[in-house]
Each structure stands twice: as C-alpha cells, then as structure tokens.
C-alpha cells in the first residue's frame, strides 16, 4: 500500500465522508485535513466542524465558495446554454471541478501528498474529481476509499458505522435517505425506489420546488438584466452572482419551475435515473436564450448551438480543466460581447416563458422584417434569385429520381 503522510479529505460531515475519515485514519495512520465547501447546499456547516473535531482532526477548513461557484463555473456554463443529453442542467457535474480546485489548493498549502473524496466507484463524480486533480497537480495522489475498501453496499456501510459509533442519519420518515447532492444550482436525488425507472417518483423526493399543480394561480412577471452574457439584475436590482441565483431559485421554486425526472447515460457506462430540481437555472436558460435571440448574429448563434452538446459532454464527463473545454469556452465567451439587455418572463405553474426582450445592442430590425411597407432597401426580387439558386440542385436531384 502507498505510504501517505498527510491527506486532504473533501468532507461534508455526512455519513459517507465521516466513515471515510475514520477509515483513512485507521488504514493509513496519517493526518487528515478536512475541507468542507459551502456551495449553497442549504445545510448547516458547523456540525461538520464539531464532527471533525471529535474525530481528532486538527486542521479543519470550511470555506464559503458560493460566489466563486456561480461566477466562475455556473455563469460560464450558462453562456453556452449547456444541457447534457438535451435536458440535464449539469448541477452536480459543474460543482466537482471547483471542489477539486480547492482540494488541490489546500493540499499545496498544508504540504499534503494526497487528496480524497467520497464519490462511489460507480458514478461520474469520481471521474470528475480525479480528472480535475490530474489536470491541476499531477504530483498529488488521489485516494478513492470506495474503490479500495471492502465495503460494497449501503448495508455494509451502515454496519461499519455502527461498529465505529458513527451516527447514522435518517430522513424525516425514519428511513435511510436517498442519495442526494445539493448546491446553489440544483438538488439531485438518486437511489432507492428511483432506481426503477418504471416507478413514479413519490412527492416527498422534491425538496425545493412545489408541484406545478399546487403553484400559485396568478402568474409572476420578472425582468432579468444581462451584461455580456451574464445575468446581473432581477427587476432592476443589481445582484452578485450567488445572490441572483438564490433569488431566482426562490421564485422558481414557488412556481414549480425546474423539475426533471431523467434517465441519463453515465460516462462510466450505465444508465441511471435521477430527479433534478434546478429552478433558478431553468429560468436563466430561457432568459439567456431570449437575450441571445436579439443580440447574436444568425451564424454565430447556430455555431454556438452546434458545439453546445460537445461542451456539455465535456463538463458531464469531468473535463472542465482540459484544453479543449477551455478552447470552446474562449469561443463561447467571445460570442457574448453584445449579449446585453433585459428579458421579461412570466413564471406560471412550472413554466418560465419569455414575453419580451430589449437590448441597446439588438440586431433585430422591425423595419427589415415588417409585413408593412418599409423604408429599408430590400428588393423582393432578390428572394427570387435566392430561392432559384438554392433550388437548383433540388430540381436536378428530383429530375434524376424521376419524380
Ligand atoms: N447523475 C448526476 C451527475 O452525474 C448527479 C450525481 C450526484 N447525485 C447524487 N444524488 N448522488 O451529474
């Protein structure tokens, strides 16, 4: 077994990482530094400190990463309108490189020779953490307890906890909880009954959105301001990135916006079913597309849409810090130079619909498109030649086919 002097653990204070902490101390007999990130998961973080202290941890780091998360990770992704497999808003995927970045930073600061995480051996998150660490500091070892120990199921995990007097949390109904990953961007719920895609998800799975059927009968109208592709205000009030997303999460949650029941293809090879709640970013996606619709050039917009699935897949697969993701990001960011203005949306029973948009940099020309008489020089005869030439090969092709 590799010798390890000091290791930094990404520690939530929950059951899995508490067990990992114990296991690291027993298995490697090394010093463990814990790192707990506040990503807006909406949980008290002080209990993590108390638990780490009780386990004999000397160096405990609790860091508020909410602004960095939204500004440097969520917003760049929003500029691309990124969606994995057409639907998943990447709420867990985008948080991993940020956590890895700080794990690496702390490891360097305290002179640790390894980092570790609580992701299981079957999911995407292990890949994301480890690829990010590889890209940021190739000299660091990565320990993945879930792939090393002989605990193979949740049942065995609970037995280990009992044996070592680690408290086991239960949900409000006294049952073992779902596997949940939450942050400012989303809540993702997997496992238990959801593992059968034929089963309808029970209502108590949802944590931050109401059922659209129970949402208010009166629609709510909001305006989001954009500057160079990033949202900067809600209803005229300027906000920091994290404050803005928090505000939209509240609005979206009340109106039942951003629920998704999805079967997706994991990078590692299997299909999995999850329930996602992403209220704020669902509103932002509609709004961002709204402001782009009047400010982006036709071909620039289409090029962006072509590379989007590739870009989203890179994030999903854990290649945030890879050169090709950075190259695509440069292209996306450049496209946003004139993506500024205001978008008004109606929030109503699960939907966020754009109802108007304005921009000082708009390319939209009412004069050009109007059905009425227009002052702009547009010769209708040009359209005749345009169609004739585009139709040339089609007439040729159809004649050959004998139609
Ligand atoms: N399937 C999602 C992804 O790969 C979420 C994974 C974490 N969620 C969880 N409930 N454990 O991005």
């Amino acid at each position: 077994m590799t010798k390890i002097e000091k290791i930094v653990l990404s520690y939530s204070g929950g059951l899995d990482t508490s067990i990992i902490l114990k296991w690291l101390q027993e298995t490697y007999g090394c010093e463990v530094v814990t790192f707990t990130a506040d990503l807006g998961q909406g949980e008290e973080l002080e209990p993590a400190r108390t638990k780490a202290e009780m386990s004999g941890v000397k160096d405990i780091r609790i860091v508020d990463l909410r602004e960095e998360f939204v500004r440097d990770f969520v917003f760049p992704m929003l500029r691309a309108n990124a969606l994995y497999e057409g639907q998943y808003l990447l709420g867990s995927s985008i948080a991993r490189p940020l956590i890895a970045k700080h794990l690496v930073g702390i490891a360097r600061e305290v002179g640790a020779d390894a980092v570790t995480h609580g992701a299981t051996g079957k999911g995407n998150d292990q890949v994301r953490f480890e690829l990010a660490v590889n890209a940021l500091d190739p000299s660091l070892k990565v320990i993945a307890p879930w792939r090393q120990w002989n605990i193979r199921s949740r049942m065995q995990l609970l037995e280990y906890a009992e044996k070592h007097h680690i408290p086991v949390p239960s949900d409000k109904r006294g049952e073992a909880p779902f596997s949940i990953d939450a942050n400012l961007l989303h809540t993702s719920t997997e496992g238990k009954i959801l593992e059968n895609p034929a089963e309808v998800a029970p209502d108590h799975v949802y944590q931050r959105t109401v059922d659209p059927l129970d949402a208010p009968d009166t629609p709510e109208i909001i305006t989001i301001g954009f500057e160079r592709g990033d949202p900067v205000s809600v209803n005229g009030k300027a906000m920091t990135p994290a404050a803005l997303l928090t505000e939209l999460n509240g609005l979206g949650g009340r109106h039942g916006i951003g629920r998704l029941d999805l079967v997706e293809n994991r990078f590692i090879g299997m299909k999995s079913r999850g329930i996602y709640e992403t209220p704020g970013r669902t509103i932002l996606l509609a709004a961002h597309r709204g402001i782009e619709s009047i400010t982006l050039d036709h071909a620039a917009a289409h090029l962006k849409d072509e590379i989007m699935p590739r870009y989203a897949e890179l994030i999903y697969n854990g290649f945030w810090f890879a050169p090709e993701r950075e190259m695509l990001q440069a292209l996306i960011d450049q496209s946003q130079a004139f993506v500024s203005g205001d978008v008004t949306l109606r929030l109503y029973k699960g939907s966020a619909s754009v109802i108007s948009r304005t921009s000082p940099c708009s390319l939209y020309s009412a004069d050009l498109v109007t059905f009425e008489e227009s002052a702009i020089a547009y010769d209708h005869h040009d359209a005749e030649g345009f169609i004739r030439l585009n139709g040339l090969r089609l007439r040729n092709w159809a004649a050959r086919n004998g139609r």
Side-chain angles (χ1 to χ4, degrees):
M1 203 173 62
T2 38
K3 177 116 191 56
I4 284 168
E5 302 289 339
K6 202 188 234 190
I7 191 163
V8 187
L9 163 66
S10 171
Y11 180 69
S12 69
L15 177 63
D16 291 32
T17 51
S18 295
I19 290 173
I20 287 170
L21 174 54
K22 182 87 211 160
W23 180 86
L24 289 168
Q25 290 167 328
E26 280 197 340
T27 312
Y28 290 95
C30 64
E31 185 187 341
V32 181
V33 175
T34 58
F35 162 56
T36 307
D38 184 354
L39 293 176
Q41 55 270 55
E43 247 169 43
E44 275 295 330
L45 297 182
E46 279 314 304
R49 181 190 304 283
T50 317
K51 285 184 191 168
E53 270 168 4
M54 272 163 31
S55 304
V57 177
K58 299 266 158 5
D59 194 345
I60 298 168
R61 310 286 175 113
I62 298 180
V63 193
D64 183 349
L65 298 181
R66 285 173 297 176
E67 290 295 348
E68 183 182 4
F69 177 48
V70 183
R71 186 190 61 230
D72 297 343
F73 291 79
V74 176
F75 281 3
M77 181 170 85
L78 181 69
R79 288 173 214 142
N81 304 318
L83 282 177
Y84 179 67
E85 294 187 338
Q87 299 188 80
Y88 174 37
L89 289 145
L90 297 163
S92 292
S93 325
I94 193 64
R96 303 313 175 200
L98 170 64
I99 296 170
K101 177 186 163 199
H102 284 267
L103 271 178
V104 169
I106 293 170
R108 284 183 168 161
E109 192 188 320
V110 304
D113 45 348
V115 295
T116 183
H117 59 76
T120 70
K122 276 192 168 182
N124 295 310
D125 287 329
Q126 54 176 343
V127 183
R128 297 170 183 148
F129 276 126
E130 295 177 40
L131 290 182
V133 173
N134 286 174
L136 295 173
D137 189 343
S139 74
L140 275 177
K141 292 187 205 98
V142 186
I143 302 298
W146 273 103
R147 302 201 301 260
Q148 274 179 274
W149 62 27
N150 36 32
I151 300 173
R152 280 288 165 264
S153 66
R154 299 248 26 115
M155 274 309 275
Q156 290 169 9
L157 191 76
L158 298 182
E159 280 162 28
Y160 186 99
E162 209 159 288
K163 207 170 113 207
H164 292 87
H165 311 289
I166 296 167
V168 176
S170 55
D171 72 3
K172 284 175 234 134
R173 311 157 135 239
E175 294 167 17
F178 287 97
S179 166
I180 294 173
D181 181 50
N183 58 44
L184 248 192
L185 191 52
H186 86 168
T187 300
S188 146
T189 310
E190 295 178 355
K192 303 214 303 177
I193 189 183
L194 300 176
E195 288 181 354
N196 179 356
E199 285 285 353
V200 177
D203 212 44
H204 67 268
V205 164
Y206 295 95
Q207 320 229 333
R208 59 208 274 178
T209 53
V210 301
D211 187 328
L213 293 174
D214 302 327
D217 292 325
T218 358
E220 188 159 351
I221 309 292
I222 63 164
T223 297
I224 301 177
F226 284 87
E227 260 167 40
R228 302 175 66 88
D230 291 341
V232 293
S233 66
V234 177
N235 294 330
K237 189 171 164 229
M239 289 181 191
T240 64
L244 185 137
L245 186 55
T246 306
E247 171 76 13
L248 294 180
N249 280 336
L251 287 166
R254 270 206 297 290
H255 289 278
I257 293 165
R259 288 184 168 197
L260 174 66
D261 181 332
L262 182 73
V263 175
E264 75 205 43
N265 292 294
R266 287 190 188 161
F267 190 23
I268 200 118
M270 64 280 265
K271 292 188 187 293
S272 76
R273 191 271 193 101
I275 298 294
Y276 298 103
E277 294 167 274
T278 321
R281 202 190 152 209
T282 299
I283 298 173
L284 283 172
L285 180 61
H288 186 253
R289 280 207 171 269
I291 193 65
E292 281 193 336
S293 71
I294 56 170
T295 54
L296 279 190
D297 165 69
H298 176 158
H302 287 200
L303 177 62
K304 258 191 103 231
D305 272 349
E306 271 173 49
I307 63 157
M308 184 279 277
R310 182 76 196 277
Y311 172 88
E313 189 171 45
L314 288 172
I315 296 176
Y316 188 85
N317 290 353
F319 291 95
W320 178 262
F321 292 114
E324 68 276 28
R325 199 283 304 174
E326 286 169 1
M327 288 164 67
L328 291 180
Q329 192 71 56
L331 182 154
I332 291 156
D333 290 352
Q334 193 190 324
S335 76
Q336 302 293 292
F338 296 99
V339 181
S340 304
D342 289 327
V343 178
T344 299
L345 303 101
R346 186 181 56 215
L347 313 182
Y348 181 64
K349 292 199 183 287
S351 72
S353 323
V354 173
I355 55 172
S356 73
R357 44 329 245 155
T358 60
S359 168
C361 330
S362 179
L363 290 168
Y364 189 90
S365 167
D367 240 2
L368 199 51
V369 79
T370 183
F371 288 104
E372 309 304 327
E373 196 76 45
S374 151
I376 289 205
Y378 177 83
D379 188 341
H380 288 255
H381 297 290
D382 289 347
E384 206 176 306
F386 176 79
I387 296 163
R388 196 172 21 245
L389 284 183
N390 272 287
L392 177 60
R393 67 184 178 87
L394 297 179
R395 292 192 298 277
N396 189 31
W397 176 76
R400 193 276 316 268
N401 294 352
R403 287 195 205 158

